[in-house]
Amino acid sequence: MSENTQSWSASATPTRIPVGGTAGTAAYDVLVGHQLLGELPGLIDGPAAAGGERGRVAVVHPEALAGTGEAIREDLAEQGYQAIAVQVPNAEEAKTAEVAAYCWKALGQSGFTRSDVIIGVGGGATTDLAGFVAATWLRGVRWIAVPTTLLGMVDAAVGGKTGINTAEGKNLVGSFHPPAGVLCDLTALESLPVHDYVSGLAEVIKAGFIADPAILGLIEADPQAARTPQGPHTAELVERAIRVKAEVVSSDLKESGLREILNYGHTLAHAIEKNERYTWRHGAAVSVGMAFAAELGRLAGRLDDATADRHRAVLESVGLPLTYRGDQWPRLLETMKVDKKSRGDRLRFIVLDGLARPAVLESPDPAVLLAAYGEVSA
């Protein structure tokens, strides 16, 4: 994304969306609004701050946001924190064991203790990495997510899933480690390239199909307006998508049941991303994955034609892709067999039994799988 070093002062009262606090999970807030970084000190200090003494903070940021990361570090240093900036590669290139080790080294050299805080500033890959580093340093330190992309705001930064990729697949190494808070500054979206913003819409649309159809209605009413952060419903779409995820993860932090529905479209999507060596945008892959899941649900006799067709219409209306290379099915199938939802050699997919009625389809007939993929093959 392009550099963005707008004013960091706090604005009008942001929307606060609570996450956790049930099923033994710690509660935190997702703040949605404009110019929110003035909220950082309160999150950094937390309830355990003693005597006003301010400790160490590591600002993990991608190369593309070097200016933003340094601006945040300088601002925190002026407020009395021992702040360092840790620059990592852009996008999925950051989510490797080597980059995580580099971050651990920076923390060690800075004398990071369990009372110190990591801040992840950037897209979903950066917050995934920052959260994973926080989860593994000293067996867990506090961290704060500051997502700067639509995808990061509505998906990656909410819910406590952290992780890195391996040669065998995406997010196969990770930990559930919820943040102390999430700041979704909508001003940051204004600098996103249109393709990155539209990619994030895939996760917003997913939330509409699995839980909140009002999202679909807002997009269908004006698809072109939905494609830009200047659209009249941007804040509402972001907040609705976050509330869907917040409700699910509050009930099921560690994906033991309900949380699986958030993976709608992701089984094929992750296989596509791996096949493309993570050069595809996540949202583009999820879009193809949802089109596939809709066809799979239809062919399995689970989903009505109108709702299946609605997937294609909504995704296409905002410019998201619907197809992938037909000759890659054998490779994609092998990758899906090591998906996190699989059990032994049994493939499991999230499908819909109707609008906002997600369910599991286990061990589908291989012929049905192939037929469904045929519907999204280029």
Side-chain angles (χ1 to χ4, degrees), residues 90-113:
N90 295 324
E92 294 292 324
E93 291 183 8
K95 292 178 60 173
T96 68
E98 292 76 16
V99 175
Y102 167 76
C103 295
W104 293 325
K105 182 177 180 180
L107 298 182
Q109 291 178 341
S110 300
F112 250 61
T113 70

Side-chain angles (χ1 to χ4, degrees), residues 289-332:
M290 283 193 287
F292 168 77
E295 294 300 335
L296 183 58
R298 186 202 321 246
L299 292 172
R302 305 277 290 265
L303 184 62
D304 60 279
D305 289 341
T307 305
D309 291 340
R310 193 177 185 186
H311 283 70
R312 287 181 169 273
V314 174
L315 294 167
E316 189 172 38
S317 74
V318 297
L320 284 163
L322 299 174
T323 60
Y324 188 64
R325 297 159 56 191
D327 62 342
Q328 296 300 297
W329 176 244
R331 296 181 65 176
L332 298 174

Side-chain angles (χ1 to χ4, degrees), residues 61-274:
H61 65 84
E63 181 181 359
L65 291 178
T68 297
E70 180 59 22
I72 295 173
R73 187 205 66 76
E74 289 180 356
D75 186 62
L76 293 174
E78 290 175 0
Q79 297 184 59
Y81 297 98
Q82 301 176 52
I84 64 169
V86 183
Q87 181 170 298
V88 299
N90 295 324
E92 294 292 324
E93 291 183 8
K95 292 178 60 173
T96 68
E98 292 76 16
V99 175
Y102 167 76
C103 295
W104 293 325
K105 182 177 180 180
L107 298 182
Q109 291 178 341
S110 300
F112 250 61
T113 70
R114 283 182 173 169
S115 63
D116 299 324
V117 179
I118 294 171
I119 302 174
V121 181
T126 304
T127 56
D128 279 357
L129 170 73
F132 177 69
V133 170
T136 49
W137 184 253
L138 299 178
R139 299 186 178 90
V141 298
R142 296 171 67 246
W143 74 289
I144 298 162
V146 184
T148 58
T149 66
L150 180 59
L151 180 65
M153 291 181 187
V154 302
D155 183 41
V158 180
K161 269 190 179 181
T162 73
I164 56 176
N165 305 329
T166 70
E168 290 69 36
K170 186 172 181 178
N171 296 330
L172 295 180
V173 176
S175 176
F176 293 98
H177 189 57
V182 181
L183 300 183
C184 296
D185 193 331
L186 300 178
T187 307
L189 299 179
E190 296 172 4
S191 66
L192 277 184
V194 63
H195 291 301
D196 289 333
Y197 187 82
V198 169
S199 173
L201 282 177
E203 291 287 355
V204 177
I205 291 169
K206 178 200 75 177
F209 276 112
I210 66 172
D212 185 0
I215 289 172
L216 306 178
L218 289 171
I219 293 173
E220 288 166 330
D222 194 343
Q224 288 306 307
R227 284 171 49 87
T228 171
Q230 286 77 30
H233 301 302
T234 296
E236 183 177 359
L237 288 171
V238 171
E239 290 175 16
R240 282 183 175 275
I242 290 173
R243 289 185 191 281
V244 168
K245 186 161 189 181
E247 183 175 349
V248 172
V249 301
S250 293
S251 300
D252 179 17
L253 172 64
K254 297 191 175 180
E255 205 169 61
S256 58
L258 178 64
R259 186 165 179 163
E260 281 192 326
I261 70 172
L262 297 173
N263 287 312
Y264 185 58
H266 283 56
T267 303
L268 180 63
H270 286 165
I272 290 173
E273 288 179 283
K274 179 177 181 291

Side-chain angles (χ1 to χ4, degrees), residues 329-341:
W329 176 244
R331 296 181 65 176
L332 298 174
L333 185 59
E334 286 304 309
T335 299
M336 288 191 292
K337 289 179 180 177
V338 295
D339 181 82
K340 296 185 295 297
K341 294 183 298 302

Side-chain angles (χ1 to χ4, degrees), residues 327-376:
D327 62 342
Q328 296 300 297
W329 176 244
R331 296 181 65 176
L332 298 174
L333 185 59
E334 286 304 309
T335 299
M336 288 191 292
K337 289 179 180 177
V338 295
D339 181 82
K340 296 185 295 297
K341 294 183 298 302
S342 296
R343 301 291 185 268
D345 60 355
R346 291 176 291 133
L347 281 170
R348 301 169 81 250
F349 294 87
I350 303 301
V351 296
L352 296 181
D353 286 340
L355 185 59
R357 294 175 55 202
V360 175
L361 174 63
E362 189 165 328
S363 299
D365 187 318
V368 173
L369 280 174
L370 181 59
Y373 187 69
E375 295 297 321
V376 298

